[in-house]
Short mmCIF file of all heavy atoms in Angstrom, two decimals:
data_model
loop_
_atom_site.label_atom_id
_atom_site.label_comp_id
_atom_site.label_asym_id
_atom_site.label_seq_id
_atom_site.Cartn_x
_atom_site.Cartn_y
_atom_site.Cartn_z
N PHE A 171 33.32 -97.62 -5.31
CA PHE A 171 32.06 -98.06 -4.83
C PHE A 171 32.34 -98.88 -3.56
O PHE A 171 31.73 -98.78 -2.44
CB PHE A 171 31.23 -98.71 -5.77
CG PHE A 171 30.12 -99.45 -5.16
CD1 PHE A 171 28.99 -98.75 -4.64
CD2 PHE A 171 30.16 -100.87 -5.01
CE1 PHE A 171 27.99 -99.43 -3.97
CE2 PHE A 171 29.03 -101.55 -4.39
CZ PHE A 171 27.95 -100.77 -3.93
N LEU A 172 33.25 -99.84 -3.74
CA LEU A 172 33.47 -100.84 -2.58
C LEU A 172 33.98 -100.16 -1.39
O LEU A 172 33.60 -100.57 -0.32
CB LEU A 172 34.47 -102.00 -3.08
CG LEU A 172 33.85 -102.89 -4.15
CD1 LEU A 172 34.91 -103.94 -4.50
CD2 LEU A 172 32.59 -103.60 -3.67
N GLU A 173 34.80 -99.15 -1.62
CA GLU A 173 35.44 -98.47 -0.44
C GLU A 173 34.34 -97.69 0.32
O GLU A 173 34.18 -97.85 1.51
CB GLU A 173 36.43 -97.45 -0.99
CG GLU A 173 37.19 -96.80 0.14
CD GLU A 173 38.21 -95.81 -0.40
OE1 GLU A 173 38.62 -95.99 -1.65
OE2 GLU A 173 38.67 -94.97 0.25
N LYS A 174 33.41 -96.99 -0.50
CA LYS A 174 32.30 -96.31 0.16
C LYS A 174 31.40 -97.32 0.81
O LYS A 174 30.82 -97.06 1.94
CB LYS A 174 31.65 -95.41 -0.82
CG LYS A 174 30.58 -94.51 -0.37
CD LYS A 174 31.10 -93.40 0.47
CE LYS A 174 31.69 -92.23 -0.34
NZ LYS A 174 32.30 -91.30 0.49
N PHE A 175 30.99 -98.34 0.10
CA PHE A 175 30.06 -99.21 0.60
C PHE A 175 30.47 -99.91 1.91
O PHE A 175 29.70 -100.01 2.84
CB PHE A 175 29.71 -100.37 -0.44
CG PHE A 175 28.83 -101.46 0.11
CD1 PHE A 175 27.40 -101.22 0.35
CD2 PHE A 175 29.37 -102.71 0.52
CE1 PHE A 175 26.58 -102.20 0.92
CE2 PHE A 175 28.53 -103.66 1.16
CZ PHE A 175 27.17 -103.36 1.34
N LEU A 176 31.72 -100.34 1.94
CA LEU A 176 32.29 -100.98 3.18
C LEU A 176 32.15 -100.03 4.34
O LEU A 176 31.73 -100.50 5.49
CB LEU A 176 33.73 -101.46 2.89
CG LEU A 176 34.23 -102.43 3.92
CD1 LEU A 176 33.32 -103.60 4.14
CD2 LEU A 176 35.63 -102.87 3.54
N GLU A 177 32.55 -98.85 4.14
CA GLU A 177 32.47 -97.85 5.22
C GLU A 177 30.98 -97.67 5.75
O GLU A 177 30.69 -97.76 6.88
CB GLU A 177 32.83 -96.47 4.52
CG GLU A 177 33.04 -95.29 5.45
CD GLU A 177 33.26 -94.06 4.60
OE1 GLU A 177 34.19 -94.04 3.70
OE2 GLU A 177 32.43 -93.15 4.64
N MET A 178 30.07 -97.65 4.82
CA MET A 178 28.64 -97.37 5.23
C MET A 178 28.05 -98.64 5.76
O MET A 178 27.24 -98.69 6.65
CB MET A 178 27.81 -96.93 3.99
CG MET A 178 28.41 -95.47 3.62
SD MET A 178 27.52 -94.80 2.30
CE MET A 178 25.88 -94.61 2.95
N PHE A 179 28.43 -99.85 5.23
CA PHE A 179 27.96 -101.12 5.66
C PHE A 179 28.40 -101.37 7.11
O PHE A 179 27.57 -101.84 7.95
CB PHE A 179 28.63 -102.22 4.74
CG PHE A 179 28.24 -103.65 5.16
CD1 PHE A 179 26.91 -104.06 5.19
CD2 PHE A 179 29.25 -104.58 5.31
CE1 PHE A 179 26.58 -105.37 5.50
CE2 PHE A 179 28.93 -105.89 5.62
CZ PHE A 179 27.54 -106.36 5.75
N ASN A 180 29.66 -101.05 7.42
CA ASN A 180 30.09 -101.22 8.74
C ASN A 180 29.34 -100.28 9.71
O ASN A 180 28.99 -100.53 10.86
CB ASN A 180 31.63 -100.96 8.89
CG ASN A 180 32.37 -102.14 8.24
OD1 ASN A 180 31.90 -103.26 8.26
ND2 ASN A 180 33.53 -101.86 7.67
N PHE A 181 29.14 -99.02 9.27
CA PHE A 181 28.33 -98.01 10.09
C PHE A 181 26.94 -98.59 10.35
O PHE A 181 26.44 -98.49 11.53
CB PHE A 181 28.28 -96.66 9.30
CG PHE A 181 27.51 -95.65 9.81
CD1 PHE A 181 27.90 -94.89 11.00
CD2 PHE A 181 26.26 -95.29 9.35
CE1 PHE A 181 27.18 -93.91 11.61
CE2 PHE A 181 25.46 -94.34 9.96
CZ PHE A 181 25.94 -93.66 11.07
N TRP A 182 26.26 -99.11 9.28
CA TRP A 182 24.93 -99.71 9.37
C TRP A 182 24.93 -100.85 10.41
O TRP A 182 24.05 -100.96 11.25
CB TRP A 182 24.50 -100.16 8.04
CG TRP A 182 23.15 -100.92 8.05
CD1 TRP A 182 21.96 -100.33 8.25
CD2 TRP A 182 23.00 -102.35 7.74
NE1 TRP A 182 20.97 -101.38 8.12
CE2 TRP A 182 21.58 -102.51 7.83
CE3 TRP A 182 23.88 -103.31 7.47
CZ2 TRP A 182 21.07 -103.82 7.70
CZ3 TRP A 182 23.37 -104.62 7.31
CH2 TRP A 182 21.99 -104.76 7.39
N LYS A 183 26.01 -101.65 10.41
CA LYS A 183 26.04 -102.86 11.27
C LYS A 183 26.14 -102.36 12.77
O LYS A 183 25.55 -103.01 13.65
CB LYS A 183 27.17 -103.76 10.91
CG LYS A 183 26.84 -104.60 9.73
CD LYS A 183 27.69 -105.92 9.69
CE LYS A 183 29.14 -105.45 9.32
NZ LYS A 183 29.95 -106.67 8.96
N ILE A 184 26.85 -101.35 12.97
CA ILE A 184 27.01 -100.84 14.30
C ILE A 184 25.86 -99.96 14.76
O ILE A 184 25.31 -100.13 15.86
CB ILE A 184 28.39 -100.04 14.52
CG1 ILE A 184 29.57 -100.91 14.18
CG2 ILE A 184 28.50 -99.41 15.88
CD1 ILE A 184 30.79 -100.20 13.86
N GLU A 185 25.45 -99.03 13.95
CA GLU A 185 24.49 -98.07 14.33
C GLU A 185 23.05 -98.38 13.96
O GLU A 185 22.12 -97.74 14.42
CB GLU A 185 24.83 -96.67 13.66
CG GLU A 185 26.24 -96.12 13.95
CD GLU A 185 26.41 -95.63 15.49
OE1 GLU A 185 25.23 -95.22 15.92
OE2 GLU A 185 27.37 -95.71 16.00
N GLY A 186 22.90 -99.42 13.14
CA GLY A 186 21.48 -99.67 12.63
C GLY A 186 21.05 -98.67 11.58
O GLY A 186 21.96 -98.04 10.94
N PHE A 187 19.85 -98.66 11.20
CA PHE A 187 19.43 -98.04 10.06
C PHE A 187 19.26 -96.49 10.30
O PHE A 187 19.19 -95.79 9.29
CB PHE A 187 17.96 -98.62 9.62
CG PHE A 187 17.45 -98.09 8.26
CD1 PHE A 187 18.27 -98.20 7.15
CD2 PHE A 187 16.21 -97.49 8.14
CE1 PHE A 187 17.84 -97.81 5.94
CE2 PHE A 187 15.74 -97.12 7.02
CZ PHE A 187 16.54 -97.21 5.75
N SER A 188 19.17 -95.98 11.56
CA SER A 188 18.73 -94.60 11.64
C SER A 188 19.76 -93.65 11.02
O SER A 188 19.19 -92.70 10.34
CB SER A 188 18.58 -94.24 13.19
OG SER A 188 19.84 -94.60 13.80
N GLY A 189 21.01 -93.81 11.09
CA GLY A 189 22.03 -92.93 10.37
C GLY A 189 21.85 -92.93 8.90
O GLY A 189 21.94 -91.90 8.28
N ILE A 190 21.79 -94.20 8.42
CA ILE A 190 21.62 -94.34 6.97
C ILE A 190 20.31 -93.68 6.51
O ILE A 190 20.25 -93.00 5.43
CB ILE A 190 21.52 -95.81 6.69
CG1 ILE A 190 22.89 -96.54 7.08
CG2 ILE A 190 21.23 -96.09 5.23
CD1 ILE A 190 24.13 -96.20 6.26
N ARG A 191 19.25 -93.91 7.26
CA ARG A 191 17.98 -93.29 6.91
C ARG A 191 18.04 -91.80 6.59
O ARG A 191 17.53 -91.25 5.60
CB ARG A 191 16.96 -93.62 7.95
CG ARG A 191 15.58 -93.00 7.73
CD ARG A 191 14.67 -93.35 8.83
NE ARG A 191 13.47 -92.51 8.82
CZ ARG A 191 13.40 -91.30 9.32
NH1 ARG A 191 14.41 -90.76 10.04
NH2 ARG A 191 12.32 -90.43 9.15
N GLN A 192 18.61 -91.08 7.62
CA GLN A 192 18.79 -89.71 7.48
C GLN A 192 19.53 -89.21 6.27
O GLN A 192 19.13 -88.35 5.57
CB GLN A 192 19.39 -89.12 8.79
CG GLN A 192 19.18 -87.58 9.02
CD GLN A 192 17.82 -87.15 8.71
OE1 GLN A 192 16.84 -87.76 9.24
NE2 GLN A 192 17.64 -86.08 7.96
N ASP A 193 20.67 -89.91 6.01
CA ASP A 193 21.63 -89.61 4.94
C ASP A 193 20.81 -89.92 3.67
O ASP A 193 20.82 -89.13 2.75
CB ASP A 193 22.82 -90.53 5.08
CG ASP A 193 24.01 -89.99 4.56
OD1 ASP A 193 23.90 -88.91 3.81
OD2 ASP A 193 25.09 -90.52 4.71
N TRP A 194 20.10 -91.07 3.59
CA TRP A 194 19.35 -91.38 2.46
C TRP A 194 18.30 -90.28 2.11
O TRP A 194 18.10 -89.83 1.02
CB TRP A 194 18.61 -92.76 2.65
CG TRP A 194 18.02 -93.32 1.43
CD1 TRP A 194 18.62 -94.12 0.38
CD2 TRP A 194 16.69 -93.00 0.90
NE1 TRP A 194 17.70 -94.36 -0.64
CE2 TRP A 194 16.60 -93.75 -0.33
CE3 TRP A 194 15.63 -92.23 1.35
CZ2 TRP A 194 15.39 -93.68 -1.11
CZ3 TRP A 194 14.44 -92.23 0.58
CH2 TRP A 194 14.33 -92.88 -0.66
N LEU A 195 17.55 -89.81 3.20
CA LEU A 195 16.54 -88.78 2.92
C LEU A 195 17.17 -87.50 2.34
O LEU A 195 16.56 -86.89 1.59
CB LEU A 195 15.84 -88.52 4.29
CG LEU A 195 14.78 -89.58 4.71
CD1 LEU A 195 14.42 -89.37 6.23
CD2 LEU A 195 13.60 -89.58 3.86
N GLU A 196 18.40 -87.26 2.84
CA GLU A 196 19.06 -86.00 2.29
C GLU A 196 19.46 -86.13 0.87
O GLU A 196 19.64 -85.19 0.15
CB GLU A 196 20.25 -85.70 3.12
CG GLU A 196 19.80 -85.03 4.54
CD GLU A 196 20.90 -85.01 5.56
OE1 GLU A 196 22.10 -85.29 5.23
OE2 GLU A 196 20.61 -84.92 6.73
N ASN A 197 19.52 -87.47 0.37
CA ASN A 197 19.89 -87.69 -0.97
C ASN A 197 18.72 -88.28 -1.72
O ASN A 197 18.91 -88.85 -2.79
CB ASN A 197 21.06 -88.62 -0.99
CG ASN A 197 22.34 -87.94 -0.62
OD1 ASN A 197 23.07 -87.32 -1.39
ND2 ASN A 197 22.66 -88.04 0.67
N ALA A 198 17.51 -88.20 -1.32
CA ALA A 198 16.35 -88.82 -1.91
C ALA A 198 15.76 -87.96 -3.08
O ALA A 198 15.75 -86.71 -2.98
CB ALA A 198 15.32 -89.11 -0.89
N TYR A 199 15.29 -88.67 -4.05
CA TYR A 199 14.53 -88.00 -5.15
C TYR A 199 13.11 -87.84 -4.72
O TYR A 199 12.44 -88.79 -4.26
CB TYR A 199 14.56 -88.83 -6.45
CG TYR A 199 13.89 -88.15 -7.52
CD1 TYR A 199 14.65 -87.24 -8.37
CD2 TYR A 199 12.57 -88.32 -7.72
CE1 TYR A 199 13.98 -86.51 -9.36
CE2 TYR A 199 11.88 -87.62 -8.84
CZ TYR A 199 12.59 -86.72 -9.51
OH TYR A 199 12.07 -86.04 -10.52
N GLY A 200 12.52 -86.68 -4.90
CA GLY A 200 11.06 -86.54 -4.90
C GLY A 200 10.38 -86.36 -3.59
O GLY A 200 9.13 -86.53 -3.50
N LEU A 201 11.00 -86.11 -2.51
CA LEU A 201 10.20 -85.93 -1.18
C LEU A 201 9.22 -84.80 -1.42
O LEU A 201 9.60 -83.78 -1.92
CB LEU A 201 11.25 -85.55 -0.10
CG LEU A 201 12.04 -86.74 0.59
CD1 LEU A 201 13.01 -86.19 1.61
CD2 LEU A 201 11.01 -87.67 1.26
N GLY A 202 8.13 -84.98 -0.99
CA GLY A 202 7.07 -84.00 -1.03
C GLY A 202 6.33 -83.98 -2.35
O GLY A 202 5.32 -83.26 -2.63
N GLN A 203 6.83 -84.77 -3.34
CA GLN A 203 6.13 -84.76 -4.65
C GLN A 203 5.07 -85.82 -4.74
O GLN A 203 4.95 -86.88 -4.02
CB GLN A 203 7.23 -85.06 -5.74
CG GLN A 203 8.21 -83.95 -5.89
CD GLN A 203 9.21 -84.25 -7.08
OE1 GLN A 203 8.79 -85.00 -7.99
NE2 GLN A 203 10.17 -83.61 -7.08
N ASP A 204 4.22 -85.64 -5.80
CA ASP A 204 3.17 -86.67 -6.03
C ASP A 204 3.73 -87.95 -6.60
O ASP A 204 4.72 -87.84 -7.44
CB ASP A 204 2.24 -86.11 -7.10
CG ASP A 204 1.41 -85.02 -6.63
OD1 ASP A 204 1.21 -84.88 -5.37
OD2 ASP A 204 0.83 -84.14 -7.40
N ILE A 205 3.24 -89.05 -6.05
CA ILE A 205 3.77 -90.41 -6.38
C ILE A 205 2.60 -91.37 -6.82
O ILE A 205 1.48 -91.18 -6.31
CB ILE A 205 4.61 -91.03 -5.43
CG1 ILE A 205 3.99 -91.15 -3.98
CG2 ILE A 205 5.93 -90.49 -5.37
CD1 ILE A 205 4.65 -91.97 -3.05
N VAL A 206 2.94 -92.30 -7.67
CA VAL A 206 2.06 -93.33 -7.90
C VAL A 206 2.81 -94.57 -7.49
O VAL A 206 4.03 -94.80 -7.86
CB VAL A 206 1.74 -93.43 -9.44
CG1 VAL A 206 0.98 -94.67 -9.83
CG2 VAL A 206 0.97 -92.15 -9.83
N ILE A 207 2.15 -95.51 -6.66
CA ILE A 207 2.81 -96.72 -6.25
C ILE A 207 2.13 -97.84 -6.85
O ILE A 207 0.93 -98.06 -6.62
CB ILE A 207 2.85 -96.74 -4.67
CG1 ILE A 207 3.47 -95.58 -4.10
CG2 ILE A 207 3.52 -98.06 -4.29
CD1 ILE A 207 3.45 -95.51 -2.55
N ARG A 208 2.78 -98.59 -7.73
CA ARG A 208 2.16 -99.72 -8.29
C ARG A 208 2.49 -101.05 -7.48
O ARG A 208 3.61 -101.35 -7.21
CB ARG A 208 2.75 -99.99 -9.67
CG ARG A 208 2.07 -99.24 -10.71
CD ARG A 208 2.38 -99.70 -12.12
NE ARG A 208 2.50 -98.50 -12.95
CZ ARG A 208 3.31 -98.35 -13.94
NH1 ARG A 208 4.17 -99.22 -14.26
NH2 ARG A 208 3.40 -97.22 -14.76
N LEU A 209 1.40 -101.66 -7.05
CA LEU A 209 1.48 -102.84 -6.24
C LEU A 209 0.96 -103.99 -7.12
O LEU A 209 0.30 -103.72 -8.11
CB LEU A 209 0.65 -102.86 -5.00
CG LEU A 209 0.99 -101.64 -3.94
CD1 LEU A 209 0.07 -101.62 -2.86
CD2 LEU A 209 2.41 -101.78 -3.56
N PRO A 210 1.12 -105.30 -6.86
CA PRO A 210 0.80 -106.31 -7.78
C PRO A 210 -0.75 -106.22 -8.05
O PRO A 210 -1.11 -106.43 -9.20
CB PRO A 210 1.07 -107.65 -6.99
CG PRO A 210 2.21 -107.26 -6.06
CD PRO A 210 1.96 -105.77 -5.75
N LYS A 211 -1.57 -105.91 -7.09
CA LYS A 211 -3.03 -105.83 -7.31
C LYS A 211 -3.68 -104.45 -7.33
O LYS A 211 -4.91 -104.47 -7.59
CB LYS A 211 -3.65 -106.79 -6.35
CG LYS A 211 -3.25 -108.21 -6.60
CD LYS A 211 -4.27 -109.17 -5.88
CE LYS A 211 -3.78 -110.61 -6.06
NZ LYS A 211 -4.06 -111.52 -5.06
N GLU A 212 -3.00 -103.43 -7.01
CA GLU A 212 -3.59 -102.14 -6.97
C GLU A 212 -2.55 -101.07 -7.28
O GLU A 212 -1.31 -101.30 -7.12
CB GLU A 212 -4.31 -101.83 -5.75
CG GLU A 212 -3.48 -101.93 -4.43
CD GLU A 212 -4.25 -101.61 -3.19
OE1 GLU A 212 -5.23 -100.87 -3.24
OE2 GLU A 212 -3.81 -102.07 -2.10
N THR A 213 -3.06 -99.84 -7.50
CA THR A 213 -2.13 -98.73 -7.75
C THR A 213 -2.64 -97.62 -6.83
O THR A 213 -3.76 -97.41 -6.70
CB THR A 213 -2.27 -98.23 -9.18
OG1 THR A 213 -1.86 -99.25 -10.00
CG2 THR A 213 -1.39 -96.98 -9.43
N LEU A 214 -1.64 -97.14 -6.07
CA LEU A 214 -2.01 -96.04 -4.99
C LEU A 214 -1.47 -94.74 -5.43
O LEU A 214 -0.36 -94.71 -6.14
CB LEU A 214 -1.42 -96.48 -3.73
CG LEU A 214 -1.78 -97.84 -3.20
CD1 LEU A 214 -0.89 -98.23 -1.99
CD2 LEU A 214 -3.17 -97.90 -2.76
N LYS A 215 -2.09 -93.72 -5.07
CA LYS A 215 -1.56 -92.36 -5.37
C LYS A 215 -1.45 -91.55 -4.09
O LYS A 215 -2.12 -91.77 -3.06
CB LYS A 215 -2.57 -91.63 -6.26
CG LYS A 215 -2.61 -92.07 -7.63
CD LYS A 215 -3.49 -91.21 -8.53
CE LYS A 215 -3.62 -91.73 -9.88
NZ LYS A 215 -4.64 -91.30 -10.66
N GLY A 216 -0.44 -90.65 -4.18
CA GLY A 216 -0.28 -89.77 -2.94
C GLY A 216 0.91 -88.92 -3.04
O GLY A 216 1.43 -88.60 -4.13
N LYS A 217 1.29 -88.45 -1.89
CA LYS A 217 2.47 -87.55 -1.82
C LYS A 217 3.52 -88.19 -0.93
O LYS A 217 3.35 -88.60 0.18
CB LYS A 217 2.09 -86.21 -1.20
CG LYS A 217 2.78 -84.92 -1.71
CD LYS A 217 2.23 -83.64 -1.13
CE LYS A 217 1.18 -82.90 -2.03
NZ LYS A 217 1.69 -82.58 -3.34
N PHE A 218 4.72 -88.22 -1.56
CA PHE A 218 5.91 -88.89 -0.87
C PHE A 218 6.35 -88.03 0.32
O PHE A 218 6.64 -86.94 0.18
CB PHE A 218 7.02 -89.03 -1.87
CG PHE A 218 8.26 -89.68 -1.37
CD1 PHE A 218 8.31 -90.41 -0.19
CD2 PHE A 218 9.45 -89.56 -2.07
CE1 PHE A 218 9.50 -91.00 0.18
CE2 PHE A 218 10.64 -90.19 -1.75
CZ PHE A 218 10.65 -90.84 -0.55
#
Side-chain angles (χ1 to χ4, degrees):
F171 167 73
L172 292 179
E173 191 178 336
K174 184 70 80 188
F175 172 75
L176 191 55
E177 186 190 303
M178 296 179 64
F179 177 56
N180 288 330
F181 176 74
W182 172 73
K183 281 201 289 192
I184 296 164
E185 301 290 332
F187 188 56
S188 56
I190 298 290
R191 174 181 167 273
Q192 194 49 43
D193 209 350
W194 189 92
L195 285 167
E196 283 162 20
N197 287 276
Y199 183 90
L201 276 174
Q203 289 188 22
D204 289 340
I205 51 170
V206 172
I207 305 178
R208 276 192 216 148
L209 303 177
K211 293 195 176 145
E212 59 179 330
T213 297
L214 305 169
K215 286 184 180 165
K217 211 174 264 303
F218 179 18

